[in-house]
């Protein structure tokens, strides 16, 4: 991690984009730690908060898009034979297939917050041939929220970014799901109020 931090301190935004691209292609990199550290640098006012989120999101988007097209091009048979090299063997494919049947495109959206799943979700979505427009909406929005969450977390924690990172990241998926539920309920209430007002008028 120290060598990654040294690279980050030298190249900033560019290395942030490259590292997150590589992680979403399934390289074993600590993306959440990198982003939280980036937030700490933002806290020190050495980097821009908005630009950091944009560049980090770009890295995630590039990585998951590349893996999506690789999955689509090579197909399930290839990954059943060679997928164990990126932890995407037959057992993992079957497991994610069941999750995908249950949660659909929401799984692509939240996969970034699930260690061991975000690295292979792009490949899986390509293997099952998720339409690119639908994939793009879920994956790209998810990338923005994922990067924004951890960079903002590092910015908020400041010099304590490393002390609380592991604890918070364990529970972040549950926090995210609660927030999504609140947003969904609020949207539904707003929609029904709007429809009711139109009917009354």
């Amino acid at each position: 991690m120290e060598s990654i931090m040294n690279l980050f301190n030298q190249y900033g935004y560019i290395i942030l984009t490259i590292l997150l691209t590589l992680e979403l292609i399934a390289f074993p990199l600590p993306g959440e730690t990198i982003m939280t550290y980036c937030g700490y640098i933002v806290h020190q006012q050495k980097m821009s908060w908005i630009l950091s989120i944009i560049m980090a999101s770009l890295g995630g988007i590039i990585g998951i898009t590349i893996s999506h097209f690789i999955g689509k091009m090579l197909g399930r048979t290839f990954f059943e034979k060679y997928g164990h090299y990126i932890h995407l063997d037959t057992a993992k494919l079957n497991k994610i297939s069941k999750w995908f049947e249950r949660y659909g495109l929401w799984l692509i959206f939240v996969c970034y917050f699930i260690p061991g799943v975000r690295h292979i979700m792009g490949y899986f979505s390509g293997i099952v041939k998720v339409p690119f427009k639908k994939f793009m909406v879920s994956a790209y929005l998810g990338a923005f929220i994922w990067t924004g969450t951890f960079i903002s977390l590092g910015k908020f924690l400041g010099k304590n970014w490393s002390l609380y990172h592991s604890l918070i990241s364990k529970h972040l998926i549950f926090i995210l799901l609660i927030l999504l539920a609140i947003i969904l309920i609020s949207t539904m209430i707003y929609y029904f109020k709007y429809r009711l007002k139109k009917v009354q008028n």
Side-chain angles (χ1 to χ4, degrees):
M1 184 61 198
E2 188 176 342
S3 59
I4 291 175
M5 286 181 179
N6 288 335
L7 280 171
F8 190 88
N9 291 332
Q10 288 180 48
Y11 301 106
Y13 302 112
I14 295 173
I15 202 68
L16 178 64
T17 303
I18 291 171
L19 291 175
L20 291 180
T21 297
L22 292 175
E23 191 195 0
L24 269 296
I25 298 175
F27 279 73
L29 293 168
E32 291 164 348
T33 303
I34 292 165
M35 289 185 292
T36 312
Y37 178 70
C38 174
Y40 169 57
I41 300 299
V42 170
H43 173 79
Q44 294 182 313
Q45 298 184 340
K46 294 179 181 178
M47 292 177 69
S48 161
W49 178 53
I50 299 297
L51 188 55
S52 295
I53 293 173
I54 290 170
M55 296 302 288
S57 299
L58 181 62
I61 286 167
I62 292 170
I64 202 167
T65 302
I66 290 171
S67 59
H68 172 83
F69 281 113
I70 291 173
K72 188 175 182 180
M73 181 176 63
L74 298 179
R76 187 179 183 109
T77 304
F78 177 88
F79 285 95
E80 286 178 343
K81 191 172 182 179
Y82 301 106
H84 59 277
Y85 290 110
I86 58 168
H87 307 288
L88 187 57
D89 53 18
T90 303
K92 186 66 77 67
L93 276 169
N94 292 336
K95 187 176 182 179
I96 297 177
S97 293
K98 289 178 182 177
W99 288 355
F100 197 78
E101 286 173 10
R102 180 177 295 182
Y103 302 110
L105 294 173
W106 280 103
L107 183 60
I108 299 175
F109 179 78
V110 300
C111 74
Y112 294 94
F113 293 88
I114 309 174
V117 175
R118 66 172 170 269
H119 311 90
I120 58 178
M121 197 65 218
Y123 295 105
F124 178 80
S125 65
I127 290 167
V128 299
K129 293 181 170 55
V130 174
F132 185 68
K133 286 184 179 179
K134 291 183 177 180
F135 164 79
M136 188 171 62
V137 171
S138 298
Y140 293 7
L141 183 59
F144 179 75
I145 292 175
W146 177 56
T147 56
T149 298
F150 279 96
I151 291 173
S152 299
L153 179 64
K155 182 177 183 291
F156 174 75
L157 293 175
K159 65 180 180 180
N160 297 315
W161 71 275
S162 61
L163 298 177
Y164 301 102
H165 170 72
S166 59
L167 179 64
I168 292 173
S169 63
K170 286 178 185 177
H171 302 288
L172 199 60
I173 182 63
F174 302 108
I175 296 169
L176 178 71
L177 290 173
I178 291 169
L179 288 173
L180 286 174
I182 292 170
I183 292 168
L184 184 61
I185 292 168
S186 300
T187 304
M188 288 175 65
I189 291 171
Y190 175 81
Y191 173 77
F192 285 121
K193 279 185 176 179
Y194 175 76
R195 293 284 296 177
L196 185 62
K197 195 177 286 185
K198 278 192 79 174
V199 171
Q200 289 174 346
N201 292 338

